[in-house]
Amino acid sequence: MKYCLTILSFLLAFAVQSQELEVKATTANPSNTLNDGVVTLDVTGGTPPYTYKWSNQETPLDSPRATGLIEGIEYTVTITDSAGNSVTKEYKVEAEAITEVFNGVMTPAVNGLGSVLFWDPFAAIGIYDPIAYADVKLIPIPGWTSDVQNKYILKKWLKPENSQVRKGEEIAVISMNDGPDETIIAPVDGSLKYLVKGGGVIYNSDNPEHIIEQGAHYLAEIKYAEPVALTHPNGDPVTKDIPFIVIWLVLGAAFFTIRMGFINIRGFKHSIDLARGKYDDPNAPGQVTHFQALATAVSGTVGLGNIAGVAVAVSLGGAGATFWMIVCGLLGMSSKFVECTLGVKYRDILPDGRVFGGPMNYLRYGLEKRNMGGFGKVLAGVFAVLAVGASFGGGNMFQANQSFEQLASQFPVLEGNGFWFGIATAILVGVVIIGGIKSIAKVTGRVVPIMASVYVLAALAVIIVNIENIGPAFSAIVEGAFNPSALKGGVIGVLVVGFQRAAFSNEAGVGSAAIAHSTAKTNNPPSEGFVALLEPFIDTVVVCTLTALVLIFTGMHEVEGMAGAQLTSDAFGSVISWFPYVLGVAVFLFAFSTMISWSYYGMRAWTYLFGKSQKSEMIYKMFFLIFVVVGASISLGAVLDFSDMMILAMSFPNIIGLYIMSGEVKGDLKDYLKKLKANTLFKSQKKGKAA
């Protein structure tokens, strides 16, 4: 008996031991390229098969190997066997190159800032469920792509409509012009609904409506018994958040639109007259004309976001995101009016003619008038620090980095020559910015109209070639805006994507443009506010919308697995074969003009912090040019992400000040409109008129 108990104890101990999971890990850092770390696990013990729940969302649950990891960052993985035994481990791929070290250090900072900017207050208080659910599983034509040239017919249904089908069952047979019949298999359990009748056409590449219509390549849907949460490969739920920064910018724009009596609409005609020079007073204080100030500010906003960012928005939100993008752009016009009016009103002009204006001035001195001097100094200081960081990153390194990548993809001779590209770009930028705002304004005044005209004409050419798609395209935009699928996040999801792209692109409420507009020659601050409200119209309502229409008219908004500038390039290339090369040059011009404008924004923030001497300005310019080379030479990952976020963060101190001073602006606007109505404003004499 004692002998039997000993054997039994031994067997029990062995059984327990056999259930313990043992994990051996191998980490690898294959190259100096950022974010290519690898962790490979070898698991023994327990009861196979195992599942692997990685903190890296892109690693599937069945994968013992995680790739694309950020060097220097710890990742967790929970391994669970089929018996439910689990163990959690932490692993880190060591950073080796200096760029990897910087990237690893900055990633937590990006996550921290992102947790503020992209925090979802509605989800936090429980009035909105951010998790994306699918009510149905859409069944597409197997292997379908947006550029396919074929006709697909639903030959016959193998299961009756509304019947319950199980995963793996044969449900239909489809035929095509060039190829054998294909049997369609149910991918999930649920209730079958036909989207095409037997014998009907599923998708015909010769039918423009099919090219434009979102989801035209789906033949059926299977309704789940209960909505299914969409998940990332690692099992985390996909969320459709409503970022706080978008709410902050859009609510501010809506408030200023109402507060100023819809100045974005009723002031539009007068703003065009001002930009055309009808009211230019050569003897007014300032350094540049209304048009030059507008061109400088537009060059700072029209950039990669109008090309790559719009493609991402339309890919995520569908055609309907275009509608909400336009709405947000129209609202943003009012924010620009308020901030640029204040930018001129509180500017400081030195005896040598240099102008110092923008949010730093009106936050400090405007609030000081209201006995809020201490609060104003804090807001102005925070804004200035953010603006300097944003100018080096989002307004400089990000532009140099992305323009080099885009050009290198079109001109292979550039590959591996980022340093020399950076040197050449820095020289071009230096030639312009050393001359100050007058030099910057002269260049942007010439470059912006040219690059915008080329882009607009090319977009219109693509739209005209596909003009037969105009009906389906606008139907897709309206339908997608008000009745989108659950996969797009519903109306809220599409609205947020559209608002987010517009708010990020035109920077209305960020305050950067007020720095450029403060240099305009004028005796009436609201006049520059009128000029400034054209910016979001040009940036978002015109350029962003044209990009979206090109994508929709060519059917590229349906492409999966591709986004950004490449998607836009392919859309243009589908009609104008050589245009991707022109687009590559346009991207560089967009980036170049953004850099020279942001050099001025950053310099004014720098001089607010470190003094207004010309020596201080020159030190900043030297730093700025060095960062151009750095941005083009190496991949900086999270450093660029963080500095790009700083542009958005500038809106926090700025909009607080705008709210407080909106009444003052409304009063100034009222007085200005009285002068306009009484015809007492200065009007320039038209040149070329016979004596």
Side-chain angles (χ1 to χ4, degrees):
M1 185 68 180
K2 187 176 179 180
Y3 181 74
C4 290
L5 288 171
T6 303
I7 293 175
L8 184 60
S9 300
F10 177 80
L11 291 173
L12 285 171
F14 180 80
V16 172
Q17 183 68 28
S18 67
Q19 290 178 0
E20 289 184 0
L21 295 171
E22 292 189 5
V23 185
K24 293 181 179 178
T26 304
T27 62
N29 185 350
S31 70
N32 290 339
T33 302
L34 295 183
N35 307 337
D36 67 347
V38 180
V39 174
T40 306
L41 305 181
D42 180 18
V43 183
T44 56
T47 309
Y50 311 110
T51 59
Y52 307 85
K53 178 68 170 65
W54 294 86
S55 57
N56 177 45
Q57 292 184 327
E58 300 308 311
T59 305
L61 286 166
D62 61 355
S63 176
R65 188 170 187 264
T67 59
L69 305 182
I70 300 172
E71 300 84 359
I73 297 297
E74 285 194 346
Y75 289 89
T76 61
V77 56
T78 300
I79 304 104
T80 306
D81 70 0
S82 58
N85 301 304
S86 65
V87 62
T88 300
K89 300 287 185 180
E90 288 188 353
Y91 300 103
K92 179 169 68 174
V93 177
E94 293 299 329
E96 295 173 0
I98 188 67
T99 52
E100 292 176 343
V101 173
F102 275 124
N103 189 51
V105 170
M106 290 302 298
T107 296
V110 168
N111 295 336
L113 187 55
S115 67
V116 175
L117 295 175
F118 304 110
W119 170 64
D120 186 344
F122 294 109
I125 60 179
I127 63 172
Y128 169 75
D129 183 2
I131 296 176
Y133 293 94
D135 298 321
V136 298
K137 177 69 176 179
L138 294 167
I139 303 173
I141 298 165
W144 180 88
T145 60
S146 64
D147 57 353
V148 71
Q149 297 295 313
N150 216 326
K151 183 178 181 180
Y152 299 88
I153 297 173
L154 197 295
K155 192 171 184 180
K156 65 177 178 178
W157 286 105
L158 303 177
K159 289 284 183 181
E161 189 168 17
N162 298 321
S163 64
Q164 294 295 315
V165 297
R166 299 192 65 80
K167 183 178 179 179
E169 284 188 310
E170 296 180 349
I171 59 172
V173 177
I174 65 172
S175 63
M176 59 195 86
N177 284 348
D178 55 351
D181 293 352
E182 189 162 353
T183 302
I184 305 301
I185 306 297
V188 295
D189 299 342
S191 176
L192 178 66
K193 179 184 177 182
Y194 300 165
L195 298 180
V196 179
K197 292 182 179 180
V201 176
I202 307 168
Y203 181 85
N204 183 0
S205 58
D206 294 329
N207 185 339
E209 290 193 16
H210 286 184
I211 294 173
I212 299 300
E213 181 188 345
Q214 197 151 316
H217 58 295
Y218 293 115
L219 55 104
E221 64 182 34
I222 297 176
K223 186 174 183 179
Y224 299 114
E226 294 288 338
V228 175
L230 301 177
T231 60
H232 293 283
N234 76 332
D236 286 347
V238 174
T239 58
K240 298 285 186 179
D241 299 309
I242 305 176
F244 176 66
I245 186 63
V246 175
I247 299 169
W248 181 251
L249 289 168
V250 173
L251 285 184
F255 173 82
F256 299 130
T257 297
I258 295 169
R259 187 87 164 103
M260 300 299 145
F262 293 87
I263 193 65
N264 51 344
I265 297 170
R266 64 190 180 107
F268 191 78
K269 181 180 180 299
H270 183 57
S271 67
I272 292 175
D273 288 339
L274 283 160
R276 287 174 54 218
K278 187 175 179 179
Y279 295 89
D280 280 355
D281 181 354
N283 298 316
Q287 291 181 287
V288 300
T289 65
H290 286 303
F291 176 76
Q292 288 176 328
L294 175 66
T296 301
V298 167
S299 72
T301 56
V302 176
L304 296 170
N306 301 75
I307 299 171
V310 172
V312 172
V314 174
S315 296
L316 292 175
T322 308
F323 177 86
W324 297 114
M325 200 160 57
I326 293 170
V327 171
C328 185
L330 292 172
L331 292 175
M333 294 165 70
S334 303
S335 298
K336 288 275 184 168
F337 173 83
V338 175
E339 62 190 9
C340 293
T341 296
L342 289 170
V344 173
K345 184 172 184 177
Y346 287 96
R347 65 184 176 182
D348 182 20
I349 303 178
L350 298 190
D352 63 4
R354 287 182 297 149
V355 177
F356 295 82
M360 297 83 66
N361 280 43
Y362 61 70
L363 288 174
R364 180 172 178 178
Y365 302 113
L367 295 185
E368 195 175 75
K369 277 173 57 176
R370 290 163 176 76
N371 298 317
M372 302 169 70
F375 184 52
K377 283 183 180 180
V378 171
L379 291 182
V382 169
F383 181 91
V385 170
L386 291 171
V388 170
S391 72
F392 287 144
N396 180 333
M397 289 192 294
F398 180 81
Q399 304 297 326
N401 188 280
Q402 295 301 298
S403 62
F404 172 70
E405 287 189 10
Q406 179 65 17
L407 279 174
S409 69
Q410 298 298 335
F411 303 98
V413 69
L414 290 174
E415 286 185 18
N417 292 308
F419 175 78
W420 295 110
F421 175 85
I423 290 289
T425 304
I427 291 171
L428 290 174
V429 171
V431 167
V432 178
I433 70 173
I434 296 299
I437 185 62
K438 288 186 178 180
S439 177
I440 293 170
K442 284 180 182 176
V443 172
T444 55
R446 290 182 174 89
V447 171
V448 169
I450 293 171
M451 72 182 188
S453 299
V454 170
Y455 193 77
V456 168
L457 288 173
L460 290 174
V462 173
I463 291 168
I464 290 168
V465 168
N466 294 279
I467 196 65
E468 72 276 7
N469 298 345
I470 188 167
F474 282 98
S475 294
I477 290 171
V478 175
E479 176 72 13
F482 296 101
N483 190 29
S485 71
L487 291 175
K488 297 296 182 185
V491 173
I492 295 295
V494 174
L495 182 148
V496 168
V497 168
F499 275 10
Q500 183 167 310
R501 180 63 262 145
F504 292 5
S505 178
N506 62 48
E507 297 174 15
V510 168
S512 52
I515 301 174
H517 283 283
S518 68
T519 63
K521 287 176 173 287
T522 182
N523 289 300
N524 302 287
S527 69
E528 199 56 29
F530 277 101
V531 174
L533 65 78
L534 288 173
E535 281 173 50
F537 184 83
I538 295 167
D539 177 275
T540 306
V541 180
V542 176
V543 181
C544 283
T545 302
L546 282 174
T547 301
L549 290 176
V550 165
L551 292 164
I552 296 164
F553 270 69
T554 57
M556 285 293 179
H557 66 300
E558 288 279 34
V559 174
E560 297 179 1
M562 185 193 298
Q566 188 58 49
L567 189 60
T568 307
S569 180
D570 288 355
F572 278 102
S574 67
V575 174
I576 311 171
S577 61
W578 45 266
F579 193 74
Y581 296 103
V582 177
L583 186 64
V585 176
V587 166
F588 173 75
L589 287 176
F590 282 151
F592 173 73
S593 63
T594 298
M595 282 188 277
I596 61 177
S597 296
W598 267 93
S599 72
Y600 186 73
Y601 300 162
M603 183 177 71
R604 281 295 162 256
W606 176 278
T607 52
Y608 177 81
L609 295 170
F610 301 108
K612 298 178 180 179
S613 69
Q614 292 188 348
K615 180 181 178 182
S616 176
E617 290 186 357
M618 190 57 66
I619 290 172
Y620 171 83
K621 290 173 183 177
M622 291 300 105
F623 275 129
F624 191 86
L625 296 176
I626 290 169
F627 278 109
V628 172
V629 180
V630 171
S633 303
I634 56 178
S635 180
L636 290 168
V639 176
L640 295 184
D641 294 336
F642 183 80
S643 57
D644 209 30
M645 286 182 181
M646 293 178 86
I647 295 177
L648 299 176
M650 288 160 60
S651 67
F652 288 123
N654 185 54
I655 288 183
I656 290 171
L658 298 185
Y659 278 132
I660 296 171
M661 290 182 275
S662 60
E664 179 180 344
V665 176
K666 187 175 182 179
D668 292 342
L669 172 61
K670 188 177 179 180
D671 293 340
Y672 180 83
L673 291 177
K674 282 182 180 177
K675 293 178 183 177
L676 179 64
K677 191 174 181 179
N679 202 28
T680 59
L681 294 175
F682 177 90
K683 282 189 179 181
S684 62
Q685 299 300 314
K686 291 185 178 180
K687 295 178 181 178
K689 193 175 181 180

